[in-house]
Amino acid sequence: MRAADLIALSYRTVISHKLRSGLTALGLIIGIAAVVILTSIGRGIHAFVLTEFTQFGTSLIAVVPGKTTTFGISGSTISTVRPLSIADAESLGRLDHVIAAMPTVQGNAEVKAGGRQRRTNVLGVGSAVPEIWKINVASGRFLPAGEESNPRALAVLGHTLALELFGTASPLGQRIRVGSDRYRVIGVMESKGQLLGFDMDDTLYIPAAKALEMFNRESLMEIDLLYESDAPVARLEQAIRKHLIARHGSEDFTIITQNQMLEKMDSILSILTLAVAALGSISLLVGSVGILTIMTIAVSERISEIGLLRAIGAERRTIFQLFLSEALALSATGGLVGVLTGIATVRLIAAALPALPVQLAWSYIAAAFLVSLLIGIAAGVAPAMKAARLEPLEALRAE
């Protein structure tokens, strides 16, 4: 039998039992659609998180206080935390390939202006925030440089904070009270949005030294370094380590590059996408059982047809190919309809819930369709072999 005739006969057989074929393929359709939808949500979250992390640029290195050393015995760790100072940040800013260095202290405080008050995030930073974090000043100016040793009580407001405290009036030159201290507003930042739940617009920026006093801290929370895009990162990391060891006497700090954070985050999110794909694949297993059951029943119902085909000269191989093709036809149809259903559902989700990040994961979609074909082959082999082994005379007697 020619391949074209074999395929045509297989599809005619499937179509002739519409209800049975439809119910059999339904398991695969649901399974494939579930894989498409879940992996699209997973991939969308993956892309969203990585975009959030890179919106501040990729040429960044963070230095945080404390160094954790792990010994040979599992669970035996010792952690030492010593202060990172503003002087450390200034000295790191003078290293080769470093464009800017910025001390960072974070806290929360109540801010008052006139008759209004609001509890907000407070960031103690240096003058390099617009350059390092890629945030522009909408009006006024940012904190000036060169005031690390004796900083003035100056403040810059985030976009939302400025609206909440001053409405449509200009806050430039106005006085605000942060805790027990008074600050003069010298600038307002452009809207930046949120970074993984941290609202950059509802933020007050003050000098790092002032924040250390306000929150009674001895150490900076972090030093952010912006380096040249073509700089050798490994050598720069080594230079930072050597420089701080010389200042502190030991390696009591941790260096984290942006690439390391992105690689770790990418790895975690890839595992998450794979996990939701595996969850959706459970339905595919149910679909495979359905195809196996229906093909086994089909063999029992069509024993006389098999006998007639064998009597007129059909070889065992032809019978095997015929039933295997029918299983493949069911799985291919179910897989294709499942893919189209999943893609359509993802489009609807994107339109109905624009806040939910979804992105079609084409590699997983292709893999899911391929798995549906493999399910057809696996579920169809046993019934096809059973049909091929039937003797012509015994099969004809079944009539």
Side-chain angles (χ1 to χ4, degrees), residues 318-331:
T318 303
I319 302 299
F320 176 82
Q321 291 174 344
L322 178 62
F323 279 84
L324 187 60
S325 297
E326 289 181 18
L328 269 173
L330 274 173
S331 62

Side-chain angles (χ1 to χ4, degrees), residues 279 315 361:
L279 185 64
E315 299 178 357

Side-chain angles (χ1 to χ4, degrees), residues 14-24:
V14 170
I15 294 172
S16 64
H17 300 87
K18 294 182 179 63
L19 181 60
R20 186 175 71 181
S21 299
L23 292 175
T24 304

Side-chain angles (χ1 to χ4, degrees), residues 2 26 35 44 54 76 83 112 125 130 137 142 167 184 188 227 230 256 274 289 292 341 349 356 358 382 386 395 398:
R2 295 180 305 173
L26 185 61
V35 171
T54 57
S76 298
K112 298 179 181 179
V125 293
V137 178
F142 200 72
R184 182 166 62 89
V188 178
Y227 59 87
D230 57 349
I256 306 170
L274 183 61
V289 174
L292 175 62
T341 302
I349 291 174
L356 178 65
V358 290
K386 178 181 178 182

Side-chain angles (χ1 to χ4, degrees), residues 29-70:
I29 293 172
I30 294 173
I32 298 293
V35 171
V36 173
I37 295 168
L38 290 175
T39 55
S40 296
I41 294 174
R43 181 56 59 86
I45 294 173
H46 186 161
F48 171 77
V49 172
L50 293 183
T51 300
E52 288 285 285
F53 265 98
T54 57
Q55 67 173 311
F56 293 106
T58 55
S59 302
L60 295 177
I61 291 179
V63 182
V64 296
K67 178 68 177 180
T68 301
T69 305
T70 304

Side-chain angles (χ1 to χ4, degrees), residues 199-271:
D199 191 352
M200 299 299 295
D201 294 337
D202 193 8
T203 300
L204 175 70
Y205 301 88
I206 63 175
K210 286 288 187 182
L212 287 173
E213 295 175 6
M214 179 183 299
F215 301 120
N216 194 26
R217 293 180 59 96
E218 294 182 359
S219 174
L220 299 173
M221 294 181 64
E222 184 175 297
I223 297 175
D224 290 333
L225 305 175
L226 175 66
Y227 59 87
E228 298 169 355
S229 58
D230 57 349
V233 180
R235 285 167 55 188
L236 178 58
E237 186 178 351
Q238 189 61 34
I240 294 169
R241 181 174 289 107
K242 182 178 179 181
H243 180 81
L244 286 179
I245 289 175
R247 288 182 60 87
H248 290 203
S250 63
E251 190 174 347
D252 53 8
F253 54 87
T254 301
I255 299 174
I256 306 170
T257 67
Q258 188 83 336
N259 288 337
Q260 288 172 339
M261 288 188 289
L262 290 175
E263 287 172 4
K264 180 64 68 175
M265 187 61 64
D266 183 71
S267 175
I268 293 171
L269 293 172
S270 295
I271 293 173

